[in-house]
């Protein structure tokens, strides 16, 4: 009777019918050691570890098998500390573990000291040369990055190595990045006549995938076919993954299509591969097939699919997949939530990205990074900086990607003090610098007019790419040092780095603002002939600006007429600006008319033409333009200037009376005007565009926003500190002249960045050479 009951109990246990097994166990009038151990193993193997502990405590037969069942159950389900506690209790109760006990414990010895202790204990109790134990030790040392110890043990086994030990060694080499030795080990295994199995093949295929060794991978594929494992689901998944990572999508797709059983792992590998290669349509097509076939779509499938939508900007289908994640319960998974935030952020749907982010119960560095970079890359720089501060307050440590994005946002807002703080925080973090962080730092300092700091970053960089050199070329050009931009371009070519189309925009901009006409012509010619870069409208705009500033309006007009691409608003604005410099109203009217057609709601051409009419004394024509603007509802962007003092940004508009220190600022303006007039400054009434009397025009000039900002800087900044002012529009000629005198009279460096470039005023001289 007992024998029959034990047989039924064993069958129920092996088939996973634990509740039925327990019912039979309770009904059995007699129980022996086999009965108790079977019930204990049933609970342990099914993950019901509390019930397993209860049975273990109740059994009168605590033999090695009972201990093994309990320890292996806790090991299998990741309860490392509990498993080790039971292992210690086993020893205290004078129960000597066998090879199976040691093998289970070695699987969770994921750091060296604990593993070495168990190794020493195995030798002490006579299991130092046991095949099962040595295999566990080889696996343990390899996973702990102690590959030399694993090799030593492997070699000491001489001819008693079985396929499990060979597989452990191949896996160890693969996990430690020694792909050559992994392949040599596999070859030696074949020479020794040891048969590979469905664990060996995936291990060596993983090594082939990591090293893109497709030739060896194909040889392994042949071995798989000869060994009869081509239908094994694990081997097929490894084959698909290997071919995908080696770039052979045809072979991967062939294996996927001949597979009899749909395997989500293989399909996921294909989707990930297509996504990484930029083949979004193929990836999404496979995803649709998975959904149609009713396959298991898991938290590894969704992130790759959502990443495809981030690049295709297909918001309708993206939202459908989002709904699917909610229906299947995967939206709560961190991998999926992070992918959703990243997708919506990259699509520019920041409100939805923020809502997903807000609902996440557990946010990690990836969650924050996706949102911070999303705001930064979608021209929401201020929000990006606020999120960065919240991220720090929440205790999440930033990574290089976040720092790069935040520095980029700081550059866009020209908040130097904040950017310097971020730089300091990055250094304190101990993170290794990266090319993207260095490039962002370089750009930030250049865009804030800090050439010395930018140079320090540039000189400290061990690796530089075309973005680095372009940032320097553009930075020097915008800071009024076009000739230095040309020198850096020559150095870039000497290092072997080829320029891109943005490099040439910066280079032509430098030539334009430095008056380097012949050099500009040469660069414009060579960009296509030497580097195969076809000029785009931005290049033509820079070239027309260069010709226009040099007084070559006819040549500029000729170049525009001969353009191989359709001139856009940027090109016509460049021509209009050149006409403004040289007072060519006839050509200006033609350019403005074209801009009225291309960009009818843009205020810039209307204002520029109106100003030209006013400067020429054609007040009625100027008034007509203003009436047209009013009729069409075109609003001129109001001019404003701002200055950062003690971490606070102070903004001013012309004739602004809203600042808390208005009385002091206007009193300072009176002082400034008196002192610079005494030094030789004469108000330029050409920039007093209002039809008022002389006194009104002079006061209007004195109260321009950049002058108010400089006055505030003189009041608040320490003696001798540079005054950094930023303006959203181009600085007028009168303010430019006044800044030169201010720098001379007050012995202060004034750095003014307008919408076009930087002006470094020092001792009465501007870095632009009065050519802007």
């Amino acid at each position: 009777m007992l024998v029959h009951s034990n047989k039924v109990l064993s069958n129920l246990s092996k088939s996973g019918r634990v509740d039925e097994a327990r019912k039979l166990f309770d009904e059995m009038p007699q129980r022996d050691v086999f009965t108790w151990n079977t019930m204990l193993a049933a609970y342990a193997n099914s993950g019901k570890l509390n019930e397993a502990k209860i049975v273990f405590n109740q059994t009168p037969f605590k033999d090695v098998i009972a201990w093994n069942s309990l320890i292996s159950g806790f090991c299998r389900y990741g309860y490392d500390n509990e498993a080790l506690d039971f292992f210690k209790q086993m020893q205290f109760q004078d129960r000597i573990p066998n090879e199976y006990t040691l093998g289970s414990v070695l699987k969770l010895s994921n750091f060296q000291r604990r593993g070495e202790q168990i190794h020493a204990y195995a030798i002490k109790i006579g299991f130092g040369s046991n095949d099962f134990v040595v295999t566990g030790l080889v696996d343990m040392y390899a996973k702990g990055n102690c590959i030399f110890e694993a090799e030593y043990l492997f070699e000491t086994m001489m001819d008693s190595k079985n396929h499990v030990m060979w597989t452990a060694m191949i896996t160890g080499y693969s996990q430690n990045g020694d792909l050559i030795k992994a392949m040599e080990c596999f070859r030696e295994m074949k020479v020794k006549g040891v048969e590979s199995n469905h664990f060996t093949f995936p291990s060596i295929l993983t090594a082939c995938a990591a090293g893109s060794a497709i030739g060896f991978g194909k040889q392994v594929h042949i071995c798989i076919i000869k060994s009869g494992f081509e239908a094994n689901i694990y081997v097929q998944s490894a084959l698909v993954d290997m071919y995908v990572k080696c770039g052979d999508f045809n072979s991967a797709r062939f294996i996927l299509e001949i597979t009899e059983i749909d395997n989500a792992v293989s399909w996921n590998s294909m989707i990930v591969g297509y996504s990484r290669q930029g083949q979004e349509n193929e990836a999404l097509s496979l995803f649709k097939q998975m959904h149609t076939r009713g396959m298991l779509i898991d938290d590894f499938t969704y992130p790759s699919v959502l990443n495809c939508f981030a690049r295709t900007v297909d918001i309708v289908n993206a939202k459908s997949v989002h709904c699917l994640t909610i229906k299947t319960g995967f939206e709560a998974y961190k991998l999926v939530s992070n992918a959703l935030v990243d997708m919506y952020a990259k699509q520019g749907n920041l409100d939805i990205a923020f809502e997903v982010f807000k609902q996440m119960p557990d946010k990690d560095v990836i969650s924050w990074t996706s949102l911070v970079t999303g705001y930064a890359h979608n021209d929401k720089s201020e929000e990006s900086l606020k999120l960065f501060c919240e991220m720090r307050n929440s205790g999440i440590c930033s990574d290089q990607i976040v720092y790069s994005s935040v520095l980029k946002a700081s550059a866009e807002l020209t908040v130097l003090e904040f950017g310097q703080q971020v730089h300091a925080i990055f250094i304190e973090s101990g993170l290794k610098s990266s090319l993207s962080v260095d490039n962002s730092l370089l750009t930030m300092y250049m865009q804030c007019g800090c050439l010395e700091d930018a140079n320090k970053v540039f000189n400290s960089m061990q690796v530089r790419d075309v973005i680095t050199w372009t940032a320097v070329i553009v930075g020097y050009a915008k800071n009024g040092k076009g000739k230095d931009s040309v020198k850096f371009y020559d150095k870039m070519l000497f290092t072997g780095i080829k320029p891109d189309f943005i490099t040439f925009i910066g280079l032509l901009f430098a030539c334009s603002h430095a008056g380097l006409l012949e050099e500009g012509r040469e660069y414009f010619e060579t960009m296509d002939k030497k580097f195969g870069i076809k000029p785009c409208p931005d290049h033509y705009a820079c070239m027309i600006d260069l010709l226009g500033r040099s007084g070559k309006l006819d040549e500029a007009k000729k170049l525009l007429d001969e353009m191989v691409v359709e001139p856009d608003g940027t090109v016509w604005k460049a021509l209009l600006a050149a006409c403004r410099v040289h007072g060519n109203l006839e050509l200006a009217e033609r350019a403005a008319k074209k801009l009225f057609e291309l960009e009818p709601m843009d205020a810039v051409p209307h204002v520029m033409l109106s100003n030209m009419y006013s400067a020429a004394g054609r007040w009625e024509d100027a008034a007509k333009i203003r009436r047209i603007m009013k009729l069409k509802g075109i609003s001129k962007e109001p001019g404003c200037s701002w200055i950062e003092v003690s971490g606070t940004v102070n903004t001013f508009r012309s004739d602004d009376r809203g600042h808390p220190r208005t009385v002091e600022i206007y009193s300072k303006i009176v002082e400034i005007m008196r002192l610079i007039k005494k030094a030789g400054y004469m108000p330029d009434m050409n920039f007093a565009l209002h039809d008022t009397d002389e006194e009104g025009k002079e006061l209007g000039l004195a109260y321009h926003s950049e002058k108010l900002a400089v006055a505030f800087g003189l009041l608040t900044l320490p003696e001798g500190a540079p005054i950094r002012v930023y303006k959203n529009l181009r600085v007028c000629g009168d303010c430019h002249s006044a800044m030169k005198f201010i720098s001379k009279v007050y012995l202060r460096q004034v750095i003014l960045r307008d919408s076009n470039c930087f002006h470094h005023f020092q001792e009465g001289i501007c870095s632009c050479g009065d050519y802007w």
Side-chain angles (χ1 to χ4, degrees):
M1 182 69 179
L2 180 61
V3 174
H4 175 72
S5 296
N6 279 344
K7 185 176 181 180
V8 175
L9 184 69
S10 177
N11 289 335
L12 291 171
S13 174
K14 289 176 181 178
S15 63
R17 295 155 68 183
V18 182
D19 292 338
E20 294 177 55
R22 179 68 203 212
K23 184 178 180 182
L24 175 61
F25 177 83
D26 291 337
E27 291 173 352
M28 290 174 66
Q30 291 181 310
R31 300 167 188 154
D32 60 8
V33 63
F34 181 86
T35 313
W36 284 96
N37 285 344
T38 301
M39 195 64 243
L40 174 60
Y43 278 132
N45 292 335
S46 64
K48 296 186 175 184
L49 302 179
N50 287 330
E51 290 86 345
K53 281 171 64 177
I54 292 170
V55 171
F56 179 79
N57 291 330
Q58 291 174 346
T59 178
F61 310 103
K62 291 183 176 65
D63 58 5
V64 173
I65 296 173
W67 283 101
N68 284 349
S69 295
L70 190 66
I71 292 169
S72 65
F74 277 89
C75 288
R76 182 181 297 113
Y77 289 97
Y79 292 92
D80 294 11
N81 294 329
E82 290 85 347
L84 280 171
D85 286 342
F86 284 122
F87 180 67
K88 291 174 184 176
Q89 290 177 37
M90 182 180 183
Q91 296 170 63
F92 291 148
Q93 295 186 21
D94 295 327
R95 291 289 183 182
I96 299 176
N98 61 16
E99 64 267 37
Y100 302 109
T101 319
L102 292 170
S104 295
V105 176
L106 284 169
K107 289 178 182 177
L108 54 85
S109 300
N110 53 3
F111 56 90
Q112 189 176 349
R113 194 172 69 85
R114 183 183 285 175
E116 287 174 345
Q117 291 172 353
I118 296 173
H119 186 181
Y121 182 71
I123 295 171
K124 181 180 178 180
I125 61 176
F127 287 107
S129 299
N130 179 274
D131 289 356
F132 191 82
V133 174
V134 171
T135 300
L137 285 166
V138 168
D139 184 60
M140 182 270 296
Y141 278 121
K143 286 178 179 176
N145 295 321
C146 301
I147 196 67
F148 295 114
E149 289 83 349
E151 272 184 322
Y152 174 78
L153 284 171
F154 182 74
E155 295 300 332
T156 59
M157 296 306 291
M158 303 299 289
D159 297 326
S160 63
K161 306 182 190 84
N162 57 25
H163 68 276
V164 180
M165 196 177 299
W166 283 96
T167 300
M169 199 66 236
I170 291 168
T171 303
Y173 283 130
S174 177
Q175 290 175 343
N176 283 272
D178 199 336
L179 311 178
I180 301 298
K181 282 194 174 182
M183 291 187 278
E184 289 174 352
C185 190
F186 180 76
R187 283 198 188 100
E188 189 180 350
M189 179 182 179
K190 298 296 291 181
V191 170
K192 296 285 186 181
V194 180
E195 292 294 327
S196 303
N197 64 7
H198 58 293
F199 295 109
T200 315
F201 287 124
S203 294
I204 187 61
L205 287 170
T206 299
C208 294
S212 297
I214 191 168
F216 194 87
K218 287 182 176 180
Q219 293 177 30
V220 174
H221 191 176
I222 293 170
C223 294
I224 290 168
I225 294 170
K226 288 181 178 179
S227 303
F229 282 98
E230 70 272 21
N232 182 273
I233 192 168
Y234 300 108
V235 175
Q236 286 177 338
S237 297
L239 275 169
V240 170
D241 186 64
M242 185 273 294
Y243 280 121
V244 165
K245 288 178 178 174
C246 290
D248 187 351
F249 285 89
N250 290 332
S251 297
R253 193 71 180 257
F254 175 75
I255 294 168
L256 194 72
E257 289 172 354
I258 64 171
T259 303
E260 294 181 3
I261 301 172
D262 287 335
N263 173 24
V265 177
S266 300
W267 284 72
N268 284 347
S269 295
M270 284 295 302
I271 290 171
V272 170
Y274 278 131
S275 177
R276 287 177 178 170
Q277 290 294 317
Q279 300 184 46
E280 291 85 6
N281 291 334
E282 293 290 342
L284 294 174
S285 174
L286 280 177
F287 174 71
K288 289 177 183 176
Q289 290 181 51
M290 283 185 77
H291 187 50
T292 303
R293 294 187 184 197
M295 293 175 62
L296 175 66
I297 297 172
D298 58 21
D299 54 322
F300 294 101
T301 317
Y302 284 118
S304 296
V305 173
L306 293 168
N307 191 40
C308 290
F309 285 119
R311 294 194 292 268
T312 58
V313 199
D314 182 356
I315 186 64
V316 175
N317 286 315
K319 286 183 176 180
S320 297
V321 174
H322 186 180
C323 290
L324 191 61
T325 66
I326 297 170
K327 288 179 181 177
T328 54
F330 282 103
E331 189 198 27
Y333 283 62
K334 193 184 294 183
L335 277 174
V336 178
S337 294
N338 284 343
L340 283 165
V341 173
D342 184 63
M343 176 195 72
Y344 283 123
K346 285 178 178 174
Q347 287 183 339
N349 294 301
L350 298 175
D351 290 341
I352 305 177
F354 186 75
E355 281 302 314
V356 175
F357 174 82
K358 194 166 64 173
Q359 291 171 15
M360 291 177 66
D362 182 23
K363 304 174 182 71
D364 60 10
V365 64
I366 299 172
S367 321
W368 284 97
T369 299
S370 297
L371 200 63
V372 171
T373 56
Y375 275 96
H377 294 158
N378 283 282
D379 298 324
K380 300 288 184 181
S381 300
E382 188 174 346
E383 291 85 345
S384 178
L385 300 188
K386 288 177 181 177
L387 280 168
F388 172 71
C389 294
E390 289 179 27
M391 179 181 181
R392 280 179 52 76
N393 291 335
S394 69
I396 300 291
C397 295
S398 306
D399 59 12
Q400 286 97 332
I401 299 172
V402 170
Y403 283 113
S404 178
S405 298
V406 170
L407 288 166
K408 175 182 176 292
S410 300
E412 289 295 320
L413 294 173
T414 59
V415 282
L416 176 61
E417 288 185 29
F418 190 93
Q420 289 172 326
Q421 290 174 21
V422 174
H423 189 181
I425 293 167
F426 175 73
I427 294 170
E428 290 172 1
S429 72
L431 289 170
K432 288 184 178 180
S433 195
S434 66
L435 186 59
S436 63
V437 172
D438 286 340
N439 283 341
S440 295
L441 268 172
L442 183 61
T443 303
M444 188 270 292
Y445 282 122
M446 280 292 186
Q447 290 203 25
C448 291
C450 300
L451 297 182
E452 288 185 12
D453 292 316
N455 276 326
K456 287 178 184 177
V457 173
F458 180 80
N459 292 330
S460 70
M461 293 175 69
Q462 296 179 344
V463 180
R464 299 170 184 142
D465 61 3
V466 66
I467 297 172
T468 313
W469 289 97
T470 300
V472 174
I473 290 166
V474 173
Y476 271 103
K478 290 200 168 188
N479 279 278
K481 295 183 178 291
K483 291 180 181 178
D484 288 320
S485 293
V486 171
K487 289 177 184 177
F488 273 98
Y489 173 71
D490 292 335
K491 289 179 182 178
M492 181 183 79
L493 295 182
F494 182 76
T495 63
I497 293 179
K498 293 183 178 180
D500 61 15
F501 76 100
I502 299 175
T503 312
F504 279 106
I505 292 173
L507 199 58
L508 292 171
F509 181 92
C511 292
S512 173
H513 287 258
L516 303 174
L517 179 60
E518 294 306 319
E519 290 87 343
R521 282 174 172 155
E522 181 185 346
Y523 295 138
F524 189 75
E525 289 294 324
T526 58
M527 62 182 287
D528 186 11
K529 291 180 180 178
K530 189 174 179 180
F531 299 103
I533 300 172
K534 300 290 183 185
C536 72
D538 285 335
H539 297 110
Y540 279 105
C542 288
M543 198 61 204
I544 287 170
D545 187 58
L546 170 58
L547 293 168
R549 289 172 182 271
S550 303
K552 307 286 185 181
L553 284 179
D554 290 338
E555 190 177 341
K557 179 178 174 296
K558 183 174 181 291
L559 179 64
L560 186 146
D561 293 335
E562 293 175 353
M563 281 179 62
V564 294
V565 294
E566 187 68 25
D568 63 6
T570 309
V571 177
W572 288 105
K573 283 176 187 175
L575 183 63
L576 181 58
C579 294
R580 179 187 62 83
V581 172
H582 296 285
N584 190 325
L585 257 176
E586 183 181 351
L587 191 55
E589 287 174 330
R590 179 195 167 192
K593 184 180 178 182
K594 193 68 180 177
L595 283 165
F596 295 163
E597 295 173 4
L598 291 171
E599 302 172 1
M601 299 305 291
D602 187 357
V604 173
H606 292 82
V607 172
M608 287 180 74
L609 186 60
S610 174
N611 289 348
M612 286 183 71
Y613 283 141
S614 297
R618 293 170 56 175
W619 304 106
E620 289 185 9
D621 289 326
K624 182 180 178 182
I625 295 292
R626 292 195 204 100
R627 283 196 299 272
I628 291 171
M629 290 177 68
K630 187 175 182 181
L631 187 65
K632 291 183 177 180
I634 302 170
S635 59
K636 172 190 172 183
E637 182 183 4
C640 68
S641 300
W642 60 96
I643 180 171
E644 187 179 8
V645 177
S646 300
T648 302
V649 176
N650 298 267
T651 305
F652 299 91
R653 300 187 187 279
S654 290
D655 201 16
D656 195 336
R657 308 277 172 169
H659 196 277
R661 299 182 67 175
T662 293
V663 175
E664 294 173 84
I665 291 169
Y666 277 83
S667 177
K668 196 69 175 177
I669 287 289
V670 172
E671 175 193 297
I672 290 170
M673 290 297 112
R674 177 173 53 81
L675 291 176
I676 64 175
K677 280 181 181 179
K678 189 176 179 181
Y681 162 74
M682 292 289 291
D684 190 342
M685 297 303 179
N686 289 320
F687 295 94
L689 301 178
H690 297 288
D691 191 8
T692 60
D693 58 28
E694 291 299 308
E695 185 180 355
K697 289 179 181 179
E698 188 172 332
L699 284 174
L701 291 173
Y703 300 154
H704 276 190
S705 64
E706 52 265 61
K707 290 191 181 84
L708 296 176
V710 168
F712 182 72
L714 287 169
L715 284 169
T716 56
L717 292 171
E719 190 72 28
I723 299 172
R724 301 176 187 276
V725 174
Y726 306 94
K727 184 178 170 79
N728 64 331
L729 303 177
R730 190 188 293 260
V731 63
C732 75
D734 178 73
C735 286
H736 191 272
S737 174
M739 295 302 162
K740 290 197 292 184
F741 280 100
I742 291 170
S743 70
K744 184 178 180 180
V745 169
Y746 286 91
L747 300 177
R748 299 287 283 268
Q749 184 184 12
V750 178
I751 302 167
L752 171 62
R753 196 197 83 169
D754 65 10
S755 62
N756 199 42
C757 67
F758 270 96
H759 302 268
H760 294 255
F761 300 96
Q762 196 159 15
E763 297 179 355
I765 299 171
C766 181
S767 58
C768 74
D770 299 336
Y771 199 92
W772 83 102

